[in-house]
Amino acid sequence: MAIESNKAVTLSTSGVTFNDVIAVARQNAKVVISPEAIVAISASRKYIEDYAAGGIPVYGVSTGFGALASRHIDVKDRTQLQKSLIRSHAAGVGPAVEREVVRALMFLRLRTMTSGRTGVRVALAQAYADFLNAGITPVVPEFGSLGCSGDLAPLSHCALAVMGEGLVHDASGKEMPALEAMKTAGIEPIELEAKEGLALINGTDGMLGMLIMACADLAALCTVADITAAMSIEGLLGTDRVFAPDLHGPLRPHVGQVASAANIYALLNDSGIVASHLENDSRVQDAYSLRCAPQVNGAVRDTIDYAATIAGRELQSFIDNPVILPDGRIESNGNFHGAPVAYVLDFLAIAAADLGSIAERRTDRMLDQHRSAGLPPFLAHDPGVDSGLMIAQYTQASLVSENKRLAAPASVDSIPSSAMQEDHVSMGWNAARKLRKVVENLSRILAIELVTAARAIDLRTGLTPAPATASVVKELRKIVPGVGPDRWLSPELEAAVTLVQSGKVAFAAREVVKDLR
């Protein structure tokens, strides 16, 4: 379960922030619709009611949908039109997506409603806020969205629940019929009216929510990657000279590279291990996986910054089709196409996969007695009798391989739908789903490097690590023992994963390096 937040997020016509999305999705922040937004919603609804009463064909109000848009719908059938839309489009299959994804998706769709561009009633917007505030989460199957015309199937499953149909999880995580959960929470089912069903499903909300959370998670993992790289450099008797500031900003001013180099340089400050071999080391240069860590880690940082720029633009967007303009016009458009979001989701998966790849190379180097500068084979207590961390690297290599497979872009594919009316789609939802797995795998890859580097540092007997890396090793040793005879390794690796994901690794390093980025 997500932790409870005392924060309340107020929705107005001006939009929301990344932190607002994460607070609602992950921390159960309450949602409040501002008086300003209520006025805007009511004004746009008046336009829809006027169109619904008139004789001019309006897509989704008095016509069918997709390839059936030429079909005129009688006034008496227009309420059924909206309900039928949601029921037919709630066609996802597979396991339920994560609670935080559904909460982000519902919150972002509500954000669009409060813009006054969709034509829904205030009661419908309030129902979404009530669902979020009651902790009711519709069951949204993983497969069904093409990332165009909105995340249609996922959003339809949410709309279906607000109608009192389908399945949900209540605040305790128990699965039950939507109507049962709504009765317990005192929420009345919504009877959809003109255009409202369409307004609930035409958006990039699912893929955008996952992009925002991925940006936050990957930014945190970049800091961890700098920490584990610094620890590996110590464990492998590498040099810190290549991270000096004058070798980065003045020579190659990539923002991310400068930040990662500064992190690693600061993390290695006052390292007795590094100092022990500076004057008598015959090696001219360290291997790329050590020496080029800021170039790779920094490029990932820059990719995240670019993706966050696109996500920020999308967060300022109010996507529906048709859309209500301030002068009352209702216009069809193609803003629901997920290409801008899909591309950066794929870009992030490529960058994150490569970050894991370079971490695995450092791990492998520490375990190979021919390349580890005197460390025992596989960092084993009694090599031969013990296998040490040999198979941890196998696990890490498996994760890296899986991420390389998942880095193949989803957005280059398009399968036409709706009888060729929707003949080009973004596959952005698929890009987002695989990115979540890449990020999860990356946290495991870095955790294995953490465990390996900490053991390598411990094996440099008589030498003192840097205060920052020593702080991280101390934190790890609270849950993962050091060198010793072989033992059941899986629980220790899982504990290290939890340490990485919790933020405690970065916190331990920041106790020494206050400005770690």
Side-chain angles (χ1 to χ4, degrees):
M1 292 294 295
I3 61 172
E4 292 290 341
S5 171
N6 294 323
K7 178 178 179 179
V9 175
T10 300
L11 285 157
S12 67
T13 57
S14 58
V16 296
T17 67
F18 280 28
N19 288 339
D20 290 335
V21 176
I22 291 171
V24 172
R26 291 181 165 171
Q27 299 160 9
N28 290 338
K30 301 299 182 183
V31 176
V32 178
I33 301 175
S34 71
E36 172 199 12
I38 290 173
V39 170
I41 295 169
S42 300
S44 69
R45 182 62 196 173
K46 179 63 168 60
Y47 291 128
I48 288 296
E49 290 172 351
D50 291 344
Y51 280 114
I56 301 173
V58 178
Y59 176 70
V61 176
S62 56
T63 74
F65 306 104
L68 301 176
S70 60
R71 163 80 186 275
H72 177 76
I73 308 298
D74 290 337
V75 173
K76 64 180 178 62
D77 294 324
R78 290 178 187 174
T79 296
Q80 185 61 41
L81 171 71
Q82 301 301 317
K83 292 192 289 188
S84 294
L85 172 71
I86 298 304
R87 289 167 179 160
S88 66
H89 284 45
V93 297
V97 301
E98 304 82 4
R99 181 179 189 271
E100 66 180 21
V101 172
V102 180
R103 285 183 63 82
L105 180 151
M106 291 191 75
F107 176 66
L108 290 169
R109 186 70 331 218
L110 174 58
R111 172 198 65 102
T112 295
M113 291 186 229
T114 60
S115 69
R117 296 287 179 266
T118 67
V120 302
R121 290 167 295 151
V122 172
L124 180 54
Q126 187 59 53
Y128 269 59
D130 291 343
F131 258 61
L132 291 166
N133 292 340
I136 300 173
T137 307
V139 173
V140 175
E142 182 169 13
F143 302 103
S145 176
L146 301 181
C148 204
S149 296
D151 286 319
L152 290 176
L155 284 162
S156 294
H157 281 274
C158 294
L160 189 72
V162 175
M163 291 166 54
E165 302 178 24
L167 297 172
V168 300
H169 291 113
D170 69 5
S172 71
K174 181 181 177 182
E175 185 176 303
M176 63 180 64
L179 190 58
E180 180 182 337
M182 294 173 75
K183 285 181 177 177
T184 301
I187 302 171
E188 290 295 322
I190 289 290
E191 182 85 3
L192 297 178
E193 296 185 2
K195 193 188 176 294
E196 288 185 327
L198 191 60
L200 294 180
I201 64 176
N202 259 306
T204 59
D205 307 293
M207 65 182 92
L208 175 59
M210 286 186 274
L211 173 59
I212 289 169
M213 289 187 283
C215 285
D217 293 343
L218 281 172
L221 289 177
C222 279
T223 301
V224 174
D226 289 341
I227 294 166
T228 57
M231 293 172 66
S232 293
I233 288 160
E234 279 192 305
L236 287 164
L237 300 184
T239 180
D240 65 348
R241 289 177 177 172
V242 295
F243 311 115
D246 57 357
L247 295 177
H248 296 276
L251 298 182
R252 200 184 194 198
H254 289 294
V255 174
Q257 177 181 326
V258 171
S260 281
N263 277 353
I264 297 172
Y265 198 59
L267 288 161
L268 293 174
N269 187 46
D270 290 334
S271 170
I273 298 177
V274 171
S276 70
H277 59 87
L278 287 179
E279 302 303 325
N280 58 4
D281 196 338
S282 61
R283 291 174 298 175
V284 177
Q285 298 181 128
D286 288 329
Y288 284 7
S289 58
L290 280 66
R291 192 185 350 150
C292 301
Q295 286 75 12
V296 175
N297 297 13
V300 178
R301 288 174 177 271
D302 289 341
T303 304
I304 296 167
D305 285 347
Y306 172 64
T309 297
I310 299 302
R313 292 173 187 163
E314 194 73 2
L315 200 54
Q316 295 169 14
S317 306
F318 303 110
I319 295 172
D320 195 11
N321 180 50
V323 67
I324 313 298
L325 297 175
D327 61 5
R329 284 180 296 133
I330 183 167
E331 297 285 357
S332 292
N333 64 88
N335 285 335
F336 49 70
H337 198 291
V341 180
Y343 293 163
V344 293
L345 286 162
D346 281 335
F347 195 3
L348 283 176
I350 292 168
D354 199 42
L355 186 60
S357 179
I358 195 171
E360 184 277 330
R361 288 293 78 207
R362 291 188 293 263
T363 300
D364 182 65
R365 183 169 289 271
M366 284 182 281
L367 299 179
D368 183 352
Q369 63 177 322
H370 302 295
R371 296 179 290 142
S372 64
L375 293 170
F378 305 109
L379 306 186
H381 172 71
D382 183 5
V385 174
D386 294 322
S387 295
L389 298 179
M390 178 194 294
I391 306 303
Q393 185 266 333
Y394 286 35
T395 301
Q396 194 183 40
S398 174
L399 291 163
V400 169
S401 179
E402 176 72 359
N403 275 3
K404 289 176 180 177
R405 183 184 68 81
L406 293 170
S411 58
V412 298
D413 185 37
S414 177
I415 299 177
S417 56
S418 192
M420 291 298 288
Q421 173 72 3
E422 298 167 7
D423 57 353
H424 186 274
V425 298
S426 77
M427 298 298 179
W429 174 272
N430 290 359
R433 295 305 298 163
K434 68 185 184 64
L435 175 60
R436 285 181 67 83
K437 178 57 68 174
V438 169
V439 173
E440 182 183 350
N441 288 346
L442 177 60
S443 68
R444 293 171 174 148
I445 292 164
L446 294 176
I448 292 172
E449 183 183 15
L450 172 69
V451 169
T452 306
R455 185 178 287 200
I457 288 171
D458 287 347
L459 286 166
R460 298 299 181 186
T461 54
L463 300 177
T464 305
T469 57
S471 178
V472 175
V473 173
K474 181 181 177 182
E475 185 66 31
L476 178 67
R477 290 290 169 255
K478 294 177 182 178
I479 55 172
V480 176
V483 183
D486 281 357
R487 53 190 180 260
W488 187 20
L489 196 54
S490 179
E492 296 184 7
L493 298 181
E494 291 288 8
V497 172
T498 300
L499 198 68
V500 167
Q501 293 175 343
S502 70
K504 290 183 178 179
V505 171
F507 182 82
R510 285 195 177 99
E511 288 187 324
V512 178
V513 182
K514 306 297 184 185
D515 60 348
L516 196 67
R517 288 173 277 181

